[in-house]
Amino acid sequence: MITITQAVIRKNSKNEEFVALILTSGVEMVKAKSTNKFYATVRTASVPSTLSLELAKEMVGQRMKGMIVKSPCEPYMYKTHSGEEIELTWSYIYTDEPENLTEEVFS
């Protein structure tokens, strides 16, 4: 399950504004490669919409079926919370397709 956590105004490549929904996954535990310790995190994805900003804001808090998964993309630079710039070749996207049979059976 994912949750709609924000509604924001974005601009497309033609500089036209549109409303996007920010989706957030449930919490997951990830083991840090450098320390071998776990930390809690969530995945977020931005999804374009045809909704007005007012209507989109009313959707905040709603839960929906689906998940946020990693998807390959063109390389881009990303600034981490510590200010370090790194190149990424993936982004998070929303999907309503189960990643495996267990997710399909138990969702």
Side-chain angles (χ1 to χ4, degrees), residues 19-80:
V19 175
L21 299 175
I22 306 301
L23 309 178
T24 303
S25 70
V27 69
E28 58 186 279
M29 300 304 289
V30 177
K31 189 182 279 190
K33 292 177 185 174
S34 59
T35 63
N36 216 26
K37 293 182 179 180
F38 285 95
Y39 62 94
T41 191
V42 295
R43 297 179 184 196
T44 60
S46 177
V47 178
S49 78
T50 59
L51 304 174
S52 68
L53 183 58
E54 295 76 25
L55 181 57
K57 285 183 176 181
E58 289 180 27
M59 302 295 188
V60 171
Q62 283 194 14
R63 299 194 65 177
M64 300 174 20
K65 223 176 185 184
M67 60 186 48
I68 298 171
V69 297
K70 272 187 182 181
S71 178
C73 68
E74 292 294 318
Y76 65 98
M77 296 307 290
Y78 175 78
K79 189 178 270 190
T80 65

